[in-house]
Amino acid sequence: MPQTSLIYGPSGVGKTSQLFRLVRYLLKKARETQPNAKARLIHADGGGYAPFEQSGYISKGYVDVFDIKYRQEMIADTRRLSEGKWPVTNRKGELEFSASAYTQDWSEYPILVVEGLTSIANNLIFHLADQEAGAGFKFSYKIVEGEYTVGGLQEGHYGVIQKEVQKAIVRGFNTIPCRYVIWSALRAKAQDKESREFVLGPEVVGSAMTHKVPSLLGSTFYLESATGKAKDS
């Protein structure tokens, strides 16, 4: 079972930079006993992963990146990744989950980063909306202007995504046989249905899971902006 952790906070607070610093530290420790150790980064955020690129960690092969945004089979790909699979490049130069996508030796990949939980959930909602007819859902409203259709989703859509997110965390990524699984998410404010108190937590579609997600993971860190001088060690 991996050691799981979550870093969350408002947009622009530096979550990606902190993720990189954490990966850099853990990778350095891992390479003391496993010189070929690498990290894997599942990326769904729109802001990119500049610290990983600018440091040379990607070009040097220290970090493998898979951008899950805009995948045609995003629900299936999320499940595949949560089962420990990793895409391989086919003859067309495209990433696909083939029979050889299973990771045989996780000692080479002790660190898995999922950036971020909020973006994956939001992208799944948009993906599900695009599959309206095939998924059997109906829009709660629909506006057609020219060749464009704008529709609103029912609550059922959110329930499906919340279930998938929870399944990916509890039954998926949390059971991958690597050493560390590190998540990131945006901050949300939601009301606890039992205590009626407002709590801060990671943003997932709707508010039902905001106060539940930290209990599904290990260490949880909340980031805020602060004024002052800092040393990057």
Side-chain angles (χ1 to χ4, degrees):
M1 298 289 289
Q3 180 177 336
T4 60
S5 57
L6 167 70
I7 297 175
Y8 78 101
S11 179
V13 78
K15 292 185 294 296
T16 303
S17 296
Q18 295 302 323
L19 282 174
F20 169 70
R21 291 185 176 97
L22 186 54
V23 168
R24 182 178 61 186
Y25 169 76
L26 294 176
L27 204 53
K28 181 180 179 180
K29 299 293 290 184
R31 283 178 165 253
E32 292 176 0
T33 56
Q34 174 59 280
N36 297 323
K38 301 179 181 179
R40 283 177 169 171
L41 171 62
I42 300 169
H43 183 75
D45 284 350
Y49 38 86
F52 292 90
E53 290 182 307
Q54 295 170 358
S55 63
Y57 270 50
I58 296 176
S59 60
K60 294 176 182 177
Y62 298 162
V63 177
D64 294 338
V65 181
F66 176 57
D67 195 330
I68 197 174
K69 296 193 304 295
Y70 317 125
R71 296 282 297 181
Q72 291 184 354
E73 296 185 347
M74 189 171 181
I75 295 176
D77 283 354
T78 301
R79 286 217 183 176
R80 290 161 180 154
L81 291 166
S82 73
E83 293 169 356
K85 298 177 182 178
W86 194 257
V88 295
T89 305
N90 60 23
R91 295 180 179 178
K92 297 180 181 179
E94 302 168 339
L95 289 173
E96 65 175 16
F97 289 88
S98 64
S100 60
Y102 285 98
T103 302
Q104 302 297 328
D105 184 10
W106 276 99
S107 64
E108 187 178 350
Y109 300 97
I111 307 162
L112 177 64
V113 179
V114 187
E115 188 190 26
L117 178 62
T118 306
S119 296
I120 288 177
N122 288 338
N123 289 338
L124 285 172
I125 275 289
F126 294 134
H127 175 77
L128 197 59
D130 290 340
Q131 310 301 320
E132 181 208 6
F137 287 108
K138 298 295 183 182
F139 282 136
S140 59
Y141 67 86
K142 183 183 292 187
I143 301 172
V144 179
E145 291 187 1
E147 66 272 32
Y148 301 102
T149 300
V150 178
L153 300 179
Q154 298 173 334
E155 290 297 321
H157 291 78
Y158 294 90
V160 169
I161 301 307
Q162 289 171 356
K163 181 180 177 182
E164 285 299 311
V165 168
Q166 185 166 340
K167 184 179 295 185
I169 295 173
V170 178
R171 301 181 185 177
F173 291 107
N174 280 9
T175 62
I176 290 178
C178 60
R179 262 187 253 175
Y180 306 97
V181 177
I182 308 168
W183 298 78
S184 73
L186 288 173
R187 177 194 65 184
K189 184 177 181 180
Q191 187 177 35
D192 190 307
K193 291 184 178 180
E194 296 181 1
S195 66
R196 313 306 295 178
E197 294 182 352
F198 284 94
V199 297
L200 290 179
E203 180 183 338
V204 188
V205 289
S207 59
M209 289 190 65
T210 295
H211 66 287
K212 293 182 180 179
V213 169
S215 67
L216 302 176
L217 300 172
S219 304
T220 300
F221 303 93
Y222 175 64
L223 298 186
E224 279 188 341
S225 300
T227 302
K229 295 181 179 180
K231 181 179 179 181
D232 184 2
S233 57

